[in-house]
Amino acid sequence: MSEFLQHLVNGVSVGTIYALIALGYTMVYGVLKLINFAHGDVYMVGAFAAFYIANALGVGDSPTLGKTLLVFTGSMAVCAGLGYAIERLAYRPLRERPRLTSLITAIGVSFLLEYGFQLAPFESITSMEFPPGPTPRFFPELFPRTVWLQIGEVAISNIDVLSLLVAIALMIGLEFIVYRTKFGTAMRAVSFDPQTAALMGIPVDRVISITFALGSALAAAAAVLVAISRPRIDPLMGMMPGLKAFVAAVFGGIGNVPGAMVGGIVLGLAEEFVAGYGVSSFRDAIAFAILIAVLLIRPQGLFGRQSVEKV
Amino acid sequence: MRLVRALLPFAVGLPALWAIQAAAPPQLAIILVTAGVNVILAVSLNMVNGFTGQFSLGHAGFMAVGAYTAAKITLAMGEAPANWSPWLWNNGAFTLALLGGMLTAALAGLAVGIPSLRLRGDYLAIVTLGFNEIIRVFIENMRWLGGATGISGLPPYTSVVWVGLGALATVVVARRIVGSTHGRALLSVREDEVAAEAMGVDTVACKVHAFVLSAAFAGLGGGLLVHYILLVTPKSFTFVKSIEVVVMVVLGGMGSISGATLAALVLTFALELMRGLDQYRMVMYSLLLVVLMLSRPTGIFGTKEIWELLGPKRKKAAA
């Protein structure tokens, strides 16, 4: 029983991270019909941005709440800027071209971030150690880990609770933005039909830019949450979570905001339970098996709309 | 006559390859083998990504299947028995191993292709990438395939002649397919899938055929590669390898055989020339992809062959 509970706790905590990343995929796909392959790497950049900010603030020596908040918002701001820049420079010029062109560009951007960050630091140019190089770095502790709740052998730490709460708060915030604000209405209109939306006076370009920034900020938040509980960060850390979060988004119905959240949690639980009770070395294959099954059985995902191809 | 035409490239190529092998110093031979394998991979991937217009990101998975099958076969065949000529035995075993590798890779292509080719565009890309990773994770978990460390101590069968013949075969097959009725069906799927279907082209069957054939040649490339580096590990076949091949195809032009061949050769030699800058290799690849997509999304040669661009300009019929 306690083993089951432990897997449940782990699954939910991994799942919320997948969900936060999946939201970025789903929103971008919603407005642009593009799989933003580089999204997982924006997540990685988020972790490194937080790392540099935390070190600059000297969080390791004297952690305070204010600094923690600063690390969070700083990293989210950096990634929002990065997301905006990627969209502006790489995707916008290709918007009228075949979708495959944008996909290949997205793969290019993804590899550029992954391998660019693995280069040795240009110390002669900047005093900062940037790019970080291929060796993993250790994220400083923002606050000490304490056990919050002990049920039998299952320990739930303050970090688990905090990351769950932050993730839920961000999702509620996003839900509010998408369904209750003027911008959200514009975003849904663009997602439904960009041309008509433009005719109705919606600034489509700006909506797409903000969507990118929003999704990237969520990825950064996910990255900081992960870095707090598992402090090892490296330039390839976004590869697998990125792909898995994409699977979560497809599972929930790509383009669907609540679907991405459910998909993330389901994927986290599935991975944790199969790895816990079955063969742990197959962990990385589970997500892809789920993806293939979903696309074959219900390609529109759990909550997606069936789309009909018109000539 | 048709047989002669089909065999002519080999009749010309074989003596040339022998001559190159005899003349090339060992350092050059290494580059030539790598280049030849890359030509096989790029041209075979071009059958799917170029001619048929489907975007596969799983080429390395099929390479892995072919490489492991070939490795298992050559290890099982072992040394030549006393009453056999070693030359005959070794080359016979290698031929068998490569054919076996192509066959299993083709079967893997069929198994992957039938379900996933119903999907289009970006979804197909992700699913093939998924299969690539699944194949790799499975191999890592198979003890009789050496697990994560792989199998070492393969016999050194691959030579410049073998790789050259493989590359030649890939190019000849690709070329003859594009010119055939079947090839035109493939091109029609690329140009407009709905229109092709309306014209009576069995689009799913077309895509599966192209996919299976491309997988078979990926298996050939894998088998040749591992019998040169004498080691087969799952690490050589991650989706990063698939993307390297995609870069070659995209660079050369999706749908151009000579373009893909040239891109594979140029990239291999260019990388060899800047060995010391190894850490910049993937950065360059990715920059190349982005810049190319922004400036010339069909690749350098587009769907044209090189000689079509070099030859006298034909006037285009007014559209």
Side-chain angles (χ1 to χ4, degrees):
Chain A
M1 189 59 200
S2 73
E3 199 190 351
F4 175 84
L5 268 179
Q6 187 69 59
H7 286 315
L8 194 69
V9 171
N10 293 349
V12 170
S13 83
V14 176
T16 45
I17 300 300
Y18 287 157
L20 278 179
I21 311 174
L23 284 170
Y25 272 112
T26 240
M27 289 196 303
V28 165
Y29 191 90
V31 294
L32 217 52
K33 303 286 171 285
L34 162 76
I35 297 176
N36 181 14
F37 228 88
H39 194 61
D41 304 298
V42 172
Y43 158 88
M44 177 272 292
V45 174
F48 274 99
F51 171 80
Y52 286 121
I53 295 172
N55 279 354
L57 290 174
V59 171
D61 308 322
S62 56
T64 60
L65 183 67
K67 284 180 182 173
T68 307
L69 279 176
L70 214 56
V71 168
F72 244 100
T73 45
S75 160
M76 285 172 78
V78 169
C79 280
L82 178 70
Y84 174 81
I86 292 175
E87 196 275 332
R88 195 63 236 270
L89 298 175
Y91 301 150
R92 189 178 295 180
L94 297 173
R95 212 173 283 157
E96 305 303 319
R97 305 260 182 83
R99 270 163 62 193
L100 221 45
T101 313
S102 316
L103 181 70
I104 298 173
T105 313
I107 294 173
V109 173
S110 157
F111 272 61
L112 190 61
L113 289 174
E114 277 166 21
Y115 288 92
F117 266 64
Q118 283 189 55
L119 295 178
F122 311 131
E123 273 170 72
S124 51
I125 308 171
T126 54
S127 55
M128 215 165 58
E129 278 192 66
F130 181 83
T135 42
R137 298 304 180 90
F138 287 89
F139 197 75
E141 201 172 49
L142 293 180
F143 47 82
R145 179 191 283 265
T146 52
V147 173
W148 190 288
L149 191 65
Q150 184 94 29
I151 312 166
E153 282 167 22
V154 185
I156 301 175
S157 69
N158 55 347
I159 291 177
D160 289 330
V161 176
L162 179 86
S163 60
L164 189 64
L165 287 181
V166 171
I168 291 174
L170 286 171
M171 287 180 203
I172 292 174
L174 184 73
E175 187 76 13
F176 178 79
I177 291 178
V178 173
Y179 291 100
R180 294 279 185 281
T181 62
K182 209 170 165 188
F183 169 73
T185 315
M187 198 172 125
R188 282 180 290 136
V190 171
S191 161
F192 193 76
D193 186 342
Q195 275 172 329
T196 315
L199 290 176
M200 298 297 136
I202 293 172
V204 176
D205 279 343
R206 201 193 307 158
V207 169
I208 290 175
S209 289
I210 298 177
T211 308
F212 259 88
L214 215 55
S216 305
L218 286 179
V224 179
L225 292 179
V226 167
I228 291 174
S229 63
R230 268 156 298 178
R232 236 176 89 103
I233 59 174
D234 67 84
L236 294 180
M237 67 184 276
M239 217 181 220
M240 270 298 148
L243 289 173
K244 286 176 184 170
F246 169 74
V247 175
V250 172
F251 181 81
I254 197 149
N256 184 308
V257 171
M261 300 179 196
V262 176
I265 305 240
V266 169
L267 183 64
L269 287 173
E271 258 192 15
E272 186 62 35
F273 276 102
V274 176
Y277 289 109
V279 250
S280 56
S281 46
F282 279 97
R283 181 187 268 265
D284 284 344
I286 296 163
F288 295 112
I290 291 180
L291 172 70
I292 290 159
V294 169
L295 286 179
L296 295 181
I297 299 163
R298 198 177 155 79
Q300 71 273 36
L302 214 53
F303 304 110
R305 278 192 315 267
Q306 181 93 49
S307 65
V308 182
E309 188 159 343
K310 291 178 210 140
V311 183
Chain B
M1 192 57 211
R2 294 180 67 179
L3 191 69
V4 172
R5 250 191 77 188
L7 291 179
L8 190 67
F10 298 97
V12 178
L14 196 57
L17 286 169
W18 264 319
I20 293 172
Q21 171 150 287
Q27 297 93 324
L28 184 63
I30 298 176
I31 308 176
L32 285 176
V33 168
T34 324
V37 170
N38 282 339
V39 168
I40 296 177
L41 295 175
V43 173
S44 59
L45 187 67
N46 211 351
M47 290 180 201
V48 173
N49 289 25
F51 301 154
T52 325
Q54 307 300 307
F55 197 73
S56 163
L57 274 180
H59 220 46
F62 304 122
M63 263 180 93
V65 174
Y68 271 91
T69 314
K72 275 286 172 193
I73 293 177
T74 51
L75 285 177
M77 299 279 284
E79 297 268 319
N83 53 347
W84 274 71
S85 130
W87 186 88
L88 199 64
W89 176 269
N90 288 350
N91 284 318
F94 198 33
T95 313
L96 202 67
L98 291 179
L99 289 177
M102 286 177 79
L103 186 71
T104 48
L107 288 176
L110 191 68
V112 173
I114 287 180
S116 42
L117 285 168
R118 299 190 315 180
L119 305 166
R120 286 182 192 176
D122 28 19
Y123 278 109
L124 179 68
I126 298 281
V127 167
T128 46
L129 191 157
F131 271 112
N132 190 159
E133 288 298 290
I134 288 178
I135 289 174
R136 191 181 57 84
V137 171
F138 263 85
I139 290 174
E140 271 179 12
N141 282 289
M142 295 288 176
R143 200 165 296 152
W144 64 283
L145 290 177
T149 47
I151 309 171
S152 54
L154 303 180
Y157 286 156
T158 303
S159 60
V160 174
V161 174
W162 270 107
V163 173
L165 282 182
L168 212 55
T170 317
V171 171
V172 168
V173 168
R175 216 156 142 78
R176 291 182 67 82
I177 283 200
V178 187
S180 70
T181 318
H182 193 74
R184 289 185 189 272
L186 296 183
L187 297 180
S188 75
V189 172
R190 174 184 74 194
E191 294 304 327
D192 190 331
E193 200 168 333
V194 180
E197 205 162 330
M199 288 311 186
V201 174
D202 186 348
T203 53
V204 175
C206 263
K207 289 192 271 184
V208 173
H209 288 171
F211 205 70
V212 168
L213 200 66
S214 151
F217 281 101
L220 175 68
L224 285 167
L225 184 68
V226 295
H227 285 89
Y228 198 76
I229 56 177
L230 313 186
L231 169 76
V232 51
T233 68
K235 275 188 219 66
S236 334
F237 305 111
T238 59
F239 73 92
V240 177
K241 181 76 198 170
S242 301
I243 290 179
E244 276 183 40
V245 185
V246 168
V247 174
M248 290 172 198
V249 173
V250 171
L251 182 71
M254 293 199 263
S256 165
I257 299 170
S258 47
T261 311
L262 193 70
L265 291 174
V266 167
L267 276 183
T268 319
F269 279 92
L271 290 177
E272 210 54 47
L273 288 178
M274 26 176 253
R275 262 267 160 242
L277 302 172
D278 210 34
Q279 56 163 337
Y280 293 102
R281 186 176 66 150
M282 290 309 289
V283 177
M284 267 202 22
Y285 269 7
S286 44
L287 266 180
L288 208 60
L289 263 188
V290 175
V291 171
L292 205 68
M293 281 299 113
L294 291 172
S295 56
R296 198 174 160 82
T298 48
I300 292 173
F301 296 107
T303 55
K304 290 199 174 69
E305 300 297 342
I306 292 171
W307 47 90
E308 291 174 35
L309 295 175
L310 292 179
K313 284 231 161 78
R314 271 171 293 181
K315 279 227 168 120
K316 267 194 180 164

